[in-house]
Amino acid sequence: MQTISRLGVVGCGLMGSGIAEVAALGGLDVLVAEGSPEAVRSGRRRVEASLDRGVRRGKITEAARDAAVARLAYTDDLDGMADRQFVIEAVAENREVKTGVFAALDRVVTDPEAVLATNTSSLPVIDLAVSTQRPAQVIGLHFFNPVPVQALVEVIPALTTSPDTVLRTRAFVSEHLGKEIVQASDRSGFVVNALLVPFLLSAVRMVDSGSARAEDIDRGMELGCAHPMGPLRLLDLIGLDTAQAVAESMYEEYKEPLYAPPALLRRMVAAGRLGRKTGQGFYDYTA
Ligand code: 3HC
């Protein structure tokens, strides 16, 4: 089996930057692609700020940070992915955008054995697999936010994914990224979001109906059930736009009312109150 040393990460937002950071710390040569020079600059800032924070908090040494920075390269041109052996797509949770990235990667990546993985939270992996000429090498690889902290990665073979791709992906995740694996089938939400999203949406409905305040709902789950953060704080961390997109895909798949994005969530997204990343969500982060 070929050793994987050259990773590509497409998208350098919250998830892509975390994946790139973990992979570089794990010793991989990482090329990160973003859509524009400005997006490349802010993606790079996000990765480097997180590595610096790791040094400040005593998680990694300065030498480890410097080595990781040296292993990271950035581009605004997907053609740069040509020599990659494994590529993880982590762009916005939008079917058309992701399908476009997979079709482009299929044209560009030269190694016929390369694995093309998607960090989708809820879209069918099969839709991305069939947008390439190599559906046997396409697989879901779902990370959790913040990526450097959360130990889990869900591995999701599509109907077309070969057993060899699954084996190589599992080995790559545990050996190079140091993450634990749960394998799930290609059903919207996989294991974790299928359970988590209805819980988060129920908390939004509780705020909307006026039955409890956001602070009390969060305090209830933090102190009553030992969750590290309550559901509304967690929504602010995930991003309300991402949560809405995930809920929409899950609702489309199951037609289950518990997955339908509540009106309040839609209104907050429309208002641009997306959580931490915009400074306001269920809580204010501008101070
Ligand atoms: N990078 C690296 N380390 C980080 C970090 C980051 N971005 N954020 C926090 N940490 C580390 C800190 O260094 C600290 O480590 P230490 O205790 O060893 O010093 C530890 O995590 C705790 O951090 P803080 O003290 O700053 O803050 P908190 O104690 O409030 O923890 C949290 C923050 C890690 C986000 C914690 O609240 C948590 O785990 N929350 C739940 C997150 C969760 O459920 N994520 C899954 C979301 S669902 C998802 O992503 C799927 C998608 O499809 C929707």
Side-chain angles (χ1 to χ4, degrees):
M1 204 187 287
Q2 184 191 37
T3 306
I4 294 168
S5 58
R6 295 188 301 279
L7 174 73
V9 177
V10 183
C12 199
L14 269 183
M15 301 304 286
S17 60
I19 296 167
E21 175 187 344
V22 167
L25 285 170
L28 293 161
D29 156 356
V30 185
L31 177 64
V32 181
E34 254 296 356
S36 67
E38 180 44 39
V40 165
R41 276 193 290 278
S42 66
R44 177 184 219 132
R45 274 198 299 274
R46 194 173 287 118
V47 175
E48 292 180 359
S50 181
L51 285 165
D52 288 344
R53 175 188 153 128
V55 172
R56 278 199 310 278
R57 298 190 67 132
K59 303 264 175 198
I60 54 171
T61 61
E62 283 186 23
R65 175 201 52 201
D66 296 346
V69 168
R71 285 187 206 105
L72 282 153
Y74 300 82
T75 178
D76 61 0
D77 183 358
L78 265 191
D79 286 357
M81 293 288 157
D83 70 343
R84 299 291 105 178
Q85 299 165 294
F86 200 110
V87 182
I88 304 175
E89 164 279 311
V91 301
E93 191 70 359
N94 174 296
R95 192 181 304 246
E96 284 68 44
V97 177
K98 284 190 188 282
T99 309
V101 168
F102 271 79
L105 287 173
D106 188 34
R107 281 194 302 276
V108 161
V109 176
T110 54
D111 180 351
E113 286 184 25
V115 174
L116 306 182
T118 173
N119 178 51
T120 182
S121 314
S122 57
L123 295 170
V125 179
I126 189 67
D127 288 356
L128 305 175
V130 298
S131 65
T132 72
Q133 302 297 312
R134 45 179 119 186
Q137 276 123 265
V138 175
I139 195 163
L141 209 51
H142 182 220
F143 291 79
F144 294 84
N145 186 12
V147 178
V149 179
Q150 308 299 344
L152 185 69
V153 172
E154 289 177 308
V155 169
I156 307 106
L159 275 181
T160 50
T161 311
S162 70
D164 178 62
T165 300
V166 178
L167 275 179
R168 287 196 291 142
T169 301
R170 292 184 63 108
F172 172 75
V173 169
S174 44
E175 284 163 25
H176 292 290
L177 306 181
K179 299 286 186 193
E180 301 292 329
I181 293 169
V182 164
Q183 194 164 317
S185 62
D186 186 17
R187 297 290 180 276
S188 188
F190 319 128
V191 170
V192 174
N193 278 345
L195 295 170
L196 177 67
V197 170
F199 162 62
L200 299 180
L201 301 181
S202 299
V204 177
R205 289 191 194 96
M206 214 178 243
V207 174
D208 204 12
S209 68
S211 54
R213 295 181 319 136
E215 290 81 354
D216 290 326
I217 296 168
D218 282 343
R219 216 169 133 72
M221 295 312 294
E222 285 158 20
L223 301 182
C225 295
H227 286 202
M229 53 177 34
L232 300 158
R233 271 185 217 291
L234 181 53
L235 277 166
D236 279 355
L237 176 73
I238 292 169
L240 272 57
D241 52 341
T242 301
Q244 177 176 304
V246 172
E248 275 164 356
S249 313
M250 292 176 69
Y251 183 68
E252 190 183 320
E253 175 115 318
Y254 302 112
K255 303 289 182 287
E256 160 63 63
L258 276 176
Y259 293 127
L264 177 60
L265 182 67
R266 290 186 180 286
R267 297 299 181 276
M268 290 178 71
V269 171
R273 294 185 187 176
L274 306 183
R276 285 193 193 187
K277 62 185 168 190
T278 56
Q280 199 176 357
F282 288 97
Y283 297 92
D284 188 85
Y285 302 90
T286 49

